[in-house]
Amino acid sequence: MKRLLQIEFIKLVTYAGFWVPAIFWAVLFVLCLFLGTQISVNIPGLDSGAFFKFPALWNTTTWLASWFNLILAIISMIFVCNEFSYKTFRQHIIDGLSRTELFLGKVLLMFVFAFVGFILVVLSTVILGLFYNNSETWPLVFDTLYLPFVYFVQAFAYMSFAMMIALIIKNIGLSILAFFGYFIFLEPIVRNFFPENILMFFPMKVISNLTPAPDIFKVSTNAQFTTTINGQIVNNAPAASFEMPLWGNSLVAVGYIALFLTISWYILKNKKL
Amino acid sequence: MANEILKIENISKRYGNIEALNNLSISIYAGQVFGILGPNGSGKTTTLSIVMGIIHSDNGNFSWFEDVYGNDFKKRIGSLIETPNFYPYLTAQQNLSITAKIKGVSETDIERVLILTGLYERRNYRFDSFSLGMKQRLALSAVLLGDPEVLVLDEPANGLDPQGIADIREIIKGQAEMGKTIIIASHLLDEIEKVCTHAAIFKKGKLLKSGKVHELLSNEEQIFLSSDRNAELFEFLVRAGVCKNVTTIDKGILIDVQQPFDSAYINKLAFENGFMLNAIETRTQSLEEQFLELVKK
C-alpha cells in the first residue's frame, strides 16, 4: 500500500495538471466561505450569521465543499486517462505491477484526495467556528459532526464514478464530457420518468443528497420563517427533507461506491492496456 | 542442459479475423541471446506482450524460470516493449524512481544505469524534452534497473542514429557477456546477426524457423555474376542446369551453386559459351537475405 501511494505521489508532485485544479479547488472553497461570512441577507427575522453557528456550520461547510467535489472528480479522471495516453499502465504491468495493484493505486489516491477534502472542511469549520460561535453554540459542535464523514463518502463516491467513466472512455476530454453529461443532463432527464420513491435511488441523486443545503437556507428560499427572540434564532422551520434518512442515503452511496469500484476493477482486469 | 528461462507452448492469439499468433512454441535457455525476426504483423510484439502479461493469449500457456518464482518473475526481467512509456512532465530521475519502486529496487541503482546509458548529465531534464534516441536510452536505463537476469527488448534500436544503434549494441553485448539471457525482437537483421546466438523467424503468426544463428545461416555458397548480356546469361544458366537457383538482382545474377560445380567451373562454362564476365564473386547469404527469402515463400 505504501509503495503504491509513493508511486502515485511521484506522479503528482510536479504535475501542473494536478496542482492547478487542486489549488483552484482549495482557494475557491475558502474564498466562497469567506465571502459567505461577508454577505448580510436583509430578510426580517433571518440572521445570516446563523449559517456559521453550530450546528448549522457543519451543514454550511460540507454543502459548499460538495460543489467542489466535481473538481476532485475531474482530477481523478485526468490521472486515470493520463495512464492510457502515456501508456504507463502498460509499462507498469511490464515492470512488475499487477492489474489489481494498478487499480489499488488509483483507489488509494482517491482516498487521499477525499481525506484532504475532509481535512480542509474540518479545518475551515473549526476556524470559522472560532470566529462566529460563543459559549452557547460551541457545545453544539458535536450535534452534526457526522457531516464531514458523510462529505468524505460523497467525495469518494464522485471520484469512484469518475474513475469508472475514465476507465471506460480512456480520453480526458470525452470522459469529462460524459461525466457532466450524465450528472447534469442524462440522469435528471431519466429521473423525470420515475416516481419519487424510485428516483431517489438514482446514483447522482443519492450522492448529491449526502450533503443537503443548510436548513436555514431552505427556510429562507421557501420564504418560511425563523423567528428571533432577543437576537437568538429559534428555528421553527421543518427539518431538512433528506428524502431518505441520511444514514440510509449513506448506505446506498457506499453501495454505489462498491459497484463503481467493482466495475472499474473488472474493466482494468480485462482491458487491453 | 541449461536452465529453461522461458517456455512458450502452443500460444494462439486472434484480433477479430486476424490471426496474430498460431500455435507458437519456443523455448529459450539461460545465457542465450535470442533474436525474434519477422516482418510487420508477424507476431513478434504480440508474443512479447503475452509473455510480459500485457495481453492475454486465446490458447496455450507460457512459463518463466520453470514457474519457480510464481508471480514474482518480473522482478528478474527488464523489459522494453515497443515505445518507451514514461510521464512526459517528469524528469528522467523521477521516471526511473517510479520504475525502481515498482521493481523494488534501491534508488541508488538509478545513478548506475544512467551512467551506463550516457544519460546521467540529463537526469534532471523532463522526458518530453528528450530526443527519440534519448528516450530510447532512458527506456534501456529502466530495463537495466536492478540488474535483471533477463532482458526482453522489442526494437531497442528504434529511432536511433547509427551511433546510437552502435551504443545500444555495445550495451547489449556487454550484458550478454555478463551471462544474461536476452530476448530481442528487431527489424534490423544485421544487428541480430551481430548480437544474437539464437534466432527465430516469424511470419503471419507462425514460427518458420529457429535455432542457432550460425545454423540458420546457410553454408552454401552463392555466386554473383555480371556480364554485358545479363538476360542471355540468365537464360543460359537456367538451361544449363548447373545451379539450384538462379535469380537476377541489381546489375547481375545470383546463383546457388549445385555441388560439385564451383565458381571456376561457372567462369569457364560462361567463357566457352561466349559470355565475358565483368564480375564474379562468391558469397554466403546474410541473415537478411535468408530472412527475405523465407518470408517471401
Side-chain angles (χ1 to χ4, degrees), chain B residues 7-256:
Chain B
K7 184 175 192 175
I8 298 174
E9 288 179 297
N10 308 316
I11 278 183
S12 297
K13 177 73 183 172
R14 293 187 76 91
Y15 295 112
N17 292 328
I18 299 165
E19 193 166 52
L21 283 180
N22 182 1
N23 219 24
L24 179 77
S25 297
I26 298 177
S27 287
I28 296 172
Y29 294 90
Q32 289 184 351
V33 182
F34 196 97
I36 298 177
L37 306 173
N40 288 334
S42 60
K44 305 186 298 290
T45 299
T46 302
T47 305
L48 296 183
S49 298
I50 288 172
V51 297
M52 291 311 298
I54 305 167
I55 53 175
H56 304 296
S57 63
D58 299 333
N59 294 307
N61 51 63
F62 67 89
S63 63
W64 283 97
F65 305 106
E66 297 171 341
D67 261 346
V68 172
Y69 296 92
N71 287 329
D72 269 352
F73 69 86
K74 282 187 189 167
K75 288 184 178 164
R76 300 156 60 92
I77 302 170
S79 180
L80 163 63
I81 308 284
E82 289 184 315
T83 51
N85 301 316
F86 292 105
Y87 296 91
Y89 57 87
L90 295 182
T91 64
Q93 175 97 29
Q94 288 166 332
N95 271 303
L96 291 183
S97 290
I98 291 177
T99 312
K101 289 250 180 302
I102 292 173
K103 289 186 168 184
V105 172
S106 164
E107 297 230 357
T108 54
D109 198 40
I110 293 174
E111 187 179 320
R112 177 186 69 85
V113 294
L114 284 173
I115 291 170
L116 193 63
T117 54
L119 278 181
Y120 185 71
E121 299 299 320
R122 307 294 288 265
R123 67 190 180 282
N124 292 321
Y125 284 62
R126 283 166 54 121
F127 178 69
D128 57 6
S129 72
F130 280 11
S131 67
L132 194 56
M134 288 164 71
K135 286 177 180 175
Q136 204 71 8
R137 283 163 186 267
L138 184 62
L140 203 60
S141 306
V143 166
L144 297 173
L145 263 180
D147 207 15
E149 289 169 50
V150 180
L151 307 183
V152 177
L153 306 169
D154 185 13
E155 305 288 356
N158 217 1
L160 296 180
D161 57 21
Q163 183 58 52
I165 293 172
D167 291 347
I168 295 277
R169 187 199 308 144
E170 286 312 306
I171 292 171
I172 293 171
K173 275 185 172 173
Q175 296 293 312
E177 281 165 12
M178 290 162 71
K180 295 191 177 171
T181 307
I182 301 173
I183 303 168
I184 177 168
S186 180
H187 291 105
L188 301 174
L189 305 174
D190 188 40
E191 287 306 309
I192 294 273
E193 199 173 339
K194 282 176 183 160
V195 170
C196 294
T197 58
H198 294 71
I201 299 175
F202 286 19
K203 183 187 176 187
K204 291 182 179 172
K206 288 180 182 166
L207 177 67
L208 293 183
K209 209 170 177 184
S210 75
K212 290 180 181 172
V213 169
H214 69 84
E215 287 173 0
L216 287 177
L217 289 169
S218 166
N219 289 325
E220 288 177 3
E221 272 190 349
Q222 287 189 317
I223 299 172
F224 173 76
L225 303 172
S226 174
S227 82
D228 294 336
R229 295 182 292 140
N230 277 337
E232 289 169 54
L233 178 60
F234 174 80
E235 280 178 26
F236 165 72
L237 289 170
V238 171
R239 277 200 316 272
V242 293
C243 324
K244 277 199 287 191
N245 195 21
V246 185
T247 45
T248 51
I249 61 169
D250 188 34
K251 294 178 183 172
I253 295 162
L254 198 60
I255 59 177
D256 294 336

Side-chain angles (χ1 to χ4, degrees), chain A residues 3 6-7 10-15 79 82-83 86-88 90-97 99 269-273, chain B residues 15 45 49 52-56 74 79-83 85-90 94 97-99 101-104 107:
Chain A
R3 180 178 66 125
Q6 283 174 334
I7 291 168
I10 295 172
K11 294 176 195 173
L12 64 80
V13 78
T14 59
Y15 184 43
F79 266 83
N82 274 352
E83 304 284 6
Y86 303 150
K87 293 188 175 178
T88 36
R90 176 188 169 91
Q91 189 62 45
H92 293 347
I93 292 285
I94 292 169
D95 290 337
L97 279 189
R99 286 170 188 253
K269 197 84 180 164
N270 294 290
K271 205 166 192 121
K272 185 190 172 194
L273 298 174
Chain B
Y15 295 112
T45 299
S49 298
M52 291 311 298
I54 305 167
I55 53 175
H56 304 296
K74 282 187 189 167
S79 180
L80 163 63
I81 308 284
E82 289 184 315
T83 51
N85 301 316
F86 292 105
Y87 296 91
Y89 57 87
L90 295 182
Q94 288 166 332
S97 290
I98 291 177
T99 312
K101 289 250 180 302
I102 292 173
K103 289 186 168 184
E107 297 230 357

Side-chain angles (χ1 to χ4, degrees), chain A residues 137-154:
Chain A
T137 51
W138 259 113
L140 303 174
V141 65
F142 299 112
D143 278 18
T144 49
L145 193 58
Y146 55 86
L147 282 172
F149 293 96
V150 173
Y151 163 81
F152 175 87
V153 172
Q154 184 190 51

